[in-house]
Amino acid sequence: MTQQIHSSVGAETMSIEHRMPRQVPLALIKPGWLLAALLVSLFASGCASVPPEYRDPRDPWQPYNRAMFKFNTDFDNAFIKPTARAYQKVMPEPVNRSVTNFFDNFADLTSAVNNLLQFKLLRTGSDIGRVLVNSTVGVLGFFDVATNMGIPSYKEDFGQTLGYWGFVDGPYFVIPIVGPSTVRDTFGFAGDIVIDPFYSLDKDEIYWGFIGLRVIDERAGRLAAGDIFGEAAIDRYSFVRDAYLQNRATGDYPRDDVMDGKDWDLDVVD
């Protein structure tokens, strides 16, 4: 029975989790918070034991991670999810889609930087092309003209960049408020904050206004998948952890990748 439930919703849930693996966008968390979160995890990892049936070598800090997962879930149910539902009800679908496109346009800019750091020049050019097209013809990114033109979006992040340069994943780690991660992706998360265009905004009122809208817009886009996930998952924590780690494994691009006809790395060209 469990296997049938998981198989019936797996494709839809996994695809959306791959696109938006975190609970809130990266710019919500300031870098200083990340160090504090890591220290908390190291302290909490020894505070409780895990039953043998739940132990996973990828997840040695499971007592802390489960506690933080519950906190994040409760926080989402109490604050973010209700606001996202209200936002979805009052916001017309065309406007909702335009707001999503606007933030995706900035994500393409961040992706371009990460592709450049990985020496993936074709992907860098594609991301920059998307930003130029959508920022001009697409009116500041409110319309996704680039996709209609066949320009692909890669959405690379700094965690993948660190993986490209040989940094291993490290243990699974749940970031407060943000959600599932690994040690490497946590440091990558901090790197993405620095290169995120919104991070350079000087006025806090404008910064938090954009970030709040970004959070709610992303959460609204995952409401349907979240409802299916809530009904399907027996152990919600394990389901999210396994989905995240699987999707991150398929999204990493190590330095020894061979050319696939769509991209190339400088280190494979003699």
Side-chain angles (χ1 to χ4, degrees), residues 3-14:
Q3 184 177 2
Q4 292 177 348
I5 294 176
H6 278 277
S7 61
S8 64
V9 301
E12 180 177 355
T13 304
M14 292 282 286

Side-chain angles (χ1 to χ4, degrees), residues 24-33 75 80 103 177-178 189 193 196-217:
V24 298
L26 57 90
L28 181 62
I29 303 299
K30 294 294 186 177
W33 297 12
F75 184 87
I80 301 179
F103 289 118
I177 305 300
V178 178
F189 180 55
I193 291 175
D196 187 88
F198 290 101
Y199 185 74
S200 61
L201 293 175
D202 293 330
K203 293 188 176 181
D204 289 341
E205 299 84 1
I206 299 177
Y207 174 85
W208 289 111
F210 273 116
I211 298 311
L213 179 59
R214 196 175 187 180
V215 170
I216 300 306
D217 178 70

